[in-house]
Amino acid sequence: MTAPTTATDVNQPSLEHAPRTGRRMSWPVLLLVIAGALALTSIVRLITGANGITNVSQMSTALQLAVPIGLAGLGGLWAERAGVVNIGLEGMMILGTWFGAWAGFQWGPWTGVLVGIIGGCLGGLLHAVVTITFNVNHIVSGVAINILALGATRYLAPLAFEGHQGGSAKQSPPVDSLGHFSIPGLSDWLESLNDQHWFFVSDIAGLLGGLVTDVSWLTLLAVALIPATWWILWRTPFGLRLRSCGENPIAAESLGVNVYKYKYLAVIISGGLAGLGGVFLSIVANPFYLEGQTSGRGYIGLAAMIFGNWMPGGLAIGAGLFGYTDSLNLRGGSANVHALLLLGALLLVAGAIWLAIRKKYVKAAITFVIGALVFAWYAGTNEVPNQVVSATPYVVTLVVLALSAQRLRMPKADGMQYRKGQGK
C-alpha cells in the first residue's frame, strides 16, 4: 500500500533538496538597505539641488510606469516557477492592450479589463500548447508569439477602429477612465512635507506621497497581486505542487501531481497577468490603444523577475527601480539624470569598499575606477544628452542584471522539456 500524496510529500524531493546559492536577505536588512539608498539619494538631492528626483509627482509617475512592468514580471514568475520560460510576455501584453481598448471603448473600461486579461490568456494558452504539449523550444515559441501578436493587432486595428470617432489604423477611440483616488488629508500633508526639501524626511514623504496620490484602482489591484502571488505559491498546496513542476517534474509526477495541468494553468495565468499589464497601458496610462505602446516592457518585466530572483518581493523592487528610471524621461529628464550620475558614482565607490572588505581586490579596483569615471562625467558636465536620458532605463536594466547575476537561482527545471512518464 502506498502512502497518500500530500503537499509535504511533493515538497520533499523537489524543493527542500534544491541547491541554493547565497543567503536570502531578511526583511530588516532589506529595509535597512532601502533606507540607506534613500538617505544617499537625499544627500545627492541636497548637493545638486535636483529636488525633482524624489518629489511626489516623480514618484507617482514612477509607480504608474512600474505597474505594467511588475505585472509582466509576475506573469513570467508564474510560468517559470512551473518550469516554462515565457519570452512571449511582450506579445501577451500587446494582446492585452488591443483587446482591452477594443472592448473598453464599446462596453466600458471594466469590461475592457476583463477582455484584455482574456486576450493575454489566449496568448498564454498558445504558448502552453506549443511548449508543453508539442515540446517546442520555449524561447522559439515566445519569440514567435511576440511576432504573431504584433502582426495580428496590426491587421485587426484598422478593421476594428477605423470609422469610429478618434480611431485610426494605429489607434483606438478613447476609453473612459477607471477612476483615480487620493487619500484625503494624507496626500496633501505628504506633498506639503515633501515641498519643505528637508533631508531624508521630505524624500520619504515624496515616496509615500506617490503611493497615495492620484492612484488608479487598477494600480491598487496590481499592487495587491504581489502579496497574493506570494501567498498562493508559497503558502498553499496548489502553489507547492506548481513550484514542484518547475523544480523536479519527474519527482512531482511520481507523487501524483498532474504536471501538464499545473504547467498549463501557470502559463495561462502568466498570459493573463501580462495581458492585465497591457490593459493598464491602454486604459490607465493612456486612454486608448496605440501601436507599439508596450515599448519592450514585457522584456523589462522579465528582467525585473530575474533581478528579484524569481520572488514576488524582489520583483516588485526591480519593477519599481525600472519604473523610476523610466519616469526620468517624462519629468525633468536631463537635470535628474545628471544628478543621478553622482548617486551612481557614490554607489559604485561604496560597492568598491564592500568588495575590498571581502578581499575581492581586483573587482574592487575595477568598480572604483568605473565610479571615478562616472564622477568625472558628472563633475565635467552640466547636463547629459537626451539620448542618454532615453537609454537610462535600458542601461540600468543591464547593469542591475549584471551585478545581481551571481546570487540568482532559477527553478531547476526551468525551460527543460518534459514528457509524461519519462521518469519510468
Side-chain angles (χ1 to χ4, degrees), residues 183-196 201 205 208-209:
I183 297 180
L186 180 60
S187 60
D188 293 334
W189 177 69
L190 288 172
E191 187 169 3
S192 175
L193 192 60
N194 179 246
D195 289 339
Q196 301 300 319
V201 175
L208 297 178

Side-chain angles (χ1 to χ4, degrees), residues 9 12 18 54 63 106 109 126 154 192 194 205 215 217 228 241 245 250 264 272 274 317 322 335 341 361 375 381 415:
D9 293 329
Q12 294 297 327
T54 58
L63 176 63
Q106 297 185 85
L126 177 60
R154 280 182 175 175
S192 175
N194 179 246
V215 179
W217 293 106
R241 293 187 179 101
C245 296
I250 296 174
Y264 260 89
I317 294 173
F322 300 142
L341 288 176
Y361 299 116
F375 178 79
T381 59

Side-chain angles (χ1 to χ4, degrees), residues 13-14 17-19 80-81 83 243 246-249 409-416:
S14 59
H17 299 290
E80 298 207 11
R81 279 294 176 179
R243 287 187 294 120
E247 294 290 343
N248 194 333
R409 191 192 77 82
M410 65 191 298
K412 286 181 63 178
D414 193 15
M416 295 175 58

Side-chain angles (χ1 to χ4, degrees), residues 38 48 64-65 83 112 176 187 205 221 255 299 316 323 411:
L38 193 59
T48 62
Q64 180 171 293
L65 292 171
D176 292 337
S187 60
L221 173 62
L255 293 170
Y299 300 112

